[in-house]
């Protein structure tokens, strides 16, 4: 099956695939809000050089993907990548697709001279923790705080 999986870095011309990936995220993460941002907003994101969208296709169907942000450091001339979301449709999970997405992201980051990729995971999400550990991620204990403007 993995031979039939194609992973693509999206560009401004891939709005439809990006929207399909967002619906995959909504399903996998069980998001209540099913409304998508406007096409103009999503296209603007795809135009940003520091925003990465990788999509996994199986028979032209979007079955998973990831989004990441390139963050410029200020204490050295370097950047790092923050994986914002990564998901694979449930029926395609545990088939190496997530690992292939991470591998492609590592390849892309290497081409861009990026030395570090990081991702946040909820402590309660045992599947995510196992996945990141199984793909070579090194766990750090941090506490994450949110500030909201309501």
């Amino acid at each position: 099956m993995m031979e039939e999986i194609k992973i693509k870095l999206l560009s401004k011309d891939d709005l439809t695939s990006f929207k399909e990936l967002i619906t995959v995220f909504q399903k996998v993460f069980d998001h209540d809000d099913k409304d998508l941002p406007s096409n103009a907003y999503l296209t603007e994101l795809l135009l940003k050089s520091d925003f990465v969208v990788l999509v996994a296709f199986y028979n032209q169907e979007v079955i998973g993907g990831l989004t990441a942000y390139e963050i410029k450091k200020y204490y050295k001339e370097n950047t790092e990548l923050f994986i914002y979301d990564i998901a694979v449709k449930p029926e395609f999970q545990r088939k190496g697709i997530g690992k292939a997405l991470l591998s492609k992201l590592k390849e892309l980051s290497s081409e861009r001279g990026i030395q570090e990729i990081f991702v946040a995971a909820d402590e309660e999400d045992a599947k995510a923790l196992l996945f990141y550990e199984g793909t070579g991620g090194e766990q750090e204990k941090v506490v994450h705080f949110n500030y909201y403007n309501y």
Side-chain angles (χ1 to χ4, degrees), residues 1-7 56-58 63 92 94-101 103:
M1 174 187 203
M2 282 307 296
E3 313 83 47
E4 300 171 41
I5 303 297
K6 303 292 182 236
I7 296 178
F57 294 91
Y58 178 71
I63 60 166
F92 291 95
R94 305 197 54 78
K95 298 182 184 319
I97 297 162
K99 287 181 183 180
L101 286 162
S103 178

Side-chain angles (χ1 to χ4, degrees), residues 4 18-19 31 39 41 43 50 63 65 71-72 86 128:
E4 300 171 41
F18 187 27
K19 289 169 76 171
H31 286 179
N39 287 349
Y41 180 86
T43 299
D50 58 355
I63 60 166
I71 302 168
K72 290 187 181 287
I86 181 170

